[in-house]
Amino acid sequence: MEERNELYPVFLKVNHLNVLVVGGGNVGHEKLHFLFKSSPNAKVEIVAKWFLPETEELAKKHGAKLIKGRYKRKYLKKKHFVIAATNDAKLNKRVHRDAKKRYLLANIADTPELCDFYMGGIVNKGHVKIAISTNGKSPTTAKRLRQFFEEVIPENVNQMVENLNEYRKSIKGDFEAKVDQMNSITESLILKKEKND
């Protein structure tokens, strides 16, 4: 039987959740960068023995708390999920173990079997956000797909979303009637685009 992607995509409101990142080096910086790129107001604490200067700068810009020192499991208190991004496999596994004892979601960098979730490629155009997953198999493919979608999604898509939202508010009738009407309108937009191509 062919292997399937069993991941269930969700969009987390990380500005309402408490996130711990363990690691202040390149991998930790990359995770932090993409977290803040997607959600500039994410509530994050970062713990590491040392930090790259650009990580310190990024944390300061977004109001993230830096904890300089060794990881301790007490840092998981009141957290919703944790990202372990150190070059110490033993420490990363320890973070995973501690997280599981607390029923916390964990992402252990470069160790798919210890990840409850992946931080996939993200396309962001105003209100429109698309997450891309390759089931942890190929981050490069996710990156290329992200670049493709960034090019093909029009810059004015945000205005379309705003306009349709206003129109949706004005539609009378029950839920089903509203859904039918919105489907009809958006279908015609897609058909117009196909005719123009």
Side-chain angles (χ1 to χ4, degrees):
M1 193 168 105
E2 190 178 327
E3 188 180 357
R4 292 180 55 186
N5 185 332
E6 295 281 349
L7 299 172
Y8 185 81
V10 296
F11 290 90
L12 298 172
K13 295 180 178 180
V14 288
N15 56 325
H16 297 296
L17 301 174
N18 298 319
V19 182
L20 179 69
V21 175
V22 181
N26 289 322
V27 180
H29 180 78
E30 182 184 273
K31 298 280 187 182
L32 201 60
H33 169 75
F34 284 111
L35 191 60
F36 284 134
K37 183 180 178 190
S38 188
S39 185
N41 297 309
K43 292 165 59 176
V44 183
E45 284 185 11
I46 309 115
V47 61
K49 289 187 240 176
W50 58 273
F51 299 97
L52 290 172
E54 52 266 39
T55 301
E56 290 179 342
E57 197 176 300
L58 189 63
K60 187 177 178 183
K61 178 181 175 186
H62 293 279
K65 181 180 176 184
L66 293 176
I67 303 167
K68 199 167 189 176
R70 291 180 181 276
Y71 161 80
K72 295 176 182 142
R73 63 177 176 254
K74 71 176 184 179
Y75 295 133
L76 293 173
K77 192 175 182 182
K78 295 186 179 178
K79 298 296 180 289
H80 295 100
F81 68 89
V82 60
I83 298 165
T86 76
N87 60 1
D88 181 342
K90 201 172 171 183
L91 174 58
N92 287 345
K93 284 179 182 173
R94 188 175 143 221
V95 172
H96 178 263
R97 236 182 1 259
D98 291 345
K100 294 298 94 192
K101 285 178 186 171
R102 287 162 178 75
Y103 299 97
L104 297 179
L105 295 176
N107 175 281
I108 311 302
D110 297 323
T111 318
E113 66 275 13
L114 296 183
C115 290
D116 296 311
F117 64 94
Y118 300 130
M119 298 173 77
I122 297 171
V123 180
N124 199 7
K125 295 261 179 135
H127 292 299
V128 176
K129 190 169 281 193
I130 300 170
I132 302 163
S133 163
T134 59
N135 210 18
K137 304 285 185 195
S138 177
T140 304
T141 302
K143 176 184 174 183
R144 294 299 177 216
L145 285 169
R146 176 181 55 79
Q147 291 168 336
F148 169 76
F149 283 114
E150 282 174 345
E151 282 184 31
V152 298
I153 296 172
E155 291 300 323
N156 66 347
V157 72
N158 207 46
Q159 188 59 53
M160 182 183 84
V161 170
E162 292 281 2
N163 291 344
L164 286 171
N165 183 47
E166 287 305 310
Y167 181 73
R168 180 177 59 96
K169 290 178 190 174
S170 71
I171 298 173
K172 304 289 183 231
D174 65 9
F175 179 76
E176 262 184 57
K178 289 180 180 185
V179 168
D180 286 344
Q181 209 163 349
M182 291 305 292
N183 281 337
S184 173
I185 290 166
T186 54
E187 185 178 64
S188 69
L189 289 169
I190 301 299
L191 292 172
K192 282 178 194 172
K193 186 183 181 323
E194 286 174 358
K195 284 177 188 173
N196 292 334
D197 287 346

